[in-house]
Amino acid sequence: MEVVNAVGRRKAAVARVFVAPGNGKIVINKRDLETYFPSAMLQFVVKQPLNKLDVAEKYDVRVNLVGGGFKGQAEALRLAIARALVKINAEDKSALKQAGFLTRDSREVERKKPGRPKARKRFQFSKR
């Protein structure tokens, strides 16, 4: 099997993933997963699709991750890994889709409107 690539996005984060057969090493921007995401919760989010299919020790994942904050980056990476796993084996699609790993969360930050303090907030109303 050759290297399979996929892209995942969330908020302002973009994750480009390259999945190849290996022994379960995840490298993000030339740093390993534990140093890039020190939080155990974010490490869990990233590994969810691999653990769901019990293939965490079968593939090496190389990631190029840009933009956004750490939560958005972790969720973008989860989507990218799930998409790459579907490219590798199409039978896994139903399991990943049912778990919600193939759904792109399209919520973005709303822009600030002119003459307002924030996107939707108004200035305090004064009767007099």
Side-chain angles (χ1 to χ4, degrees):
M1 188 196 99
E2 72 287 343
V3 177
V4 175
N5 64 328
V7 177
R9 293 184 182 89
R10 170 78 171 97
K11 292 185 173 181
V14 180
R16 284 184 215 73
V17 164
F18 303 92
V19 178
N23 53 10
K25 193 165 172 62
I26 299 176
V27 178
I28 306 167
N29 294 350
K30 298 178 182 170
R31 302 200 319 240
D32 62 317
L33 177 70
E34 286 73 28
T35 54
Y36 196 88
F37 290 123
S39 161
M41 190 67 214
L42 294 177
Q43 290 174 27
F44 172 75
V45 167
V46 168
K47 291 179 181 175
Q48 273 180 313
L50 296 165
N51 293 334
K52 177 80 176 171
L53 302 175
D54 294 320
V55 293
E57 305 302 316
K58 287 186 182 176
Y59 298 113
D60 281 347
V61 181
R62 208 176 80 247
V63 187
N64 180 0
L65 199 48
V66 291
F70 48 84
K71 180 106 164 56
Q73 285 189 346
E75 292 181 8
L77 181 48
R78 177 175 70 183
L79 175 62
I81 290 172
R83 284 178 172 172
L85 291 172
V86 169
K87 278 187 182 178
I88 292 167
N89 187 1
E91 284 98 64
D92 296 334
K93 185 173 182 176
S94 60
L96 291 172
K97 191 154 181 72
Q98 198 171 15
F101 301 146
L102 291 176
T103 307
R104 159 61 155 113
D105 192 342
S106 60
R107 293 176 294 174
E108 299 274 339
V109 176
E110 192 173 332
R111 75 177 187 88
K112 185 190 173 300
K113 314 297 187 304
R116 303 258 168 83
K118 293 185 344 192
R120 299 198 172 193
K121 188 176 183 182
R122 268 63 166 165
F123 289 113
Q124 185 172 338
F125 176 74
S126 170
K127 197 166 194 175
R128 286 173 188 77

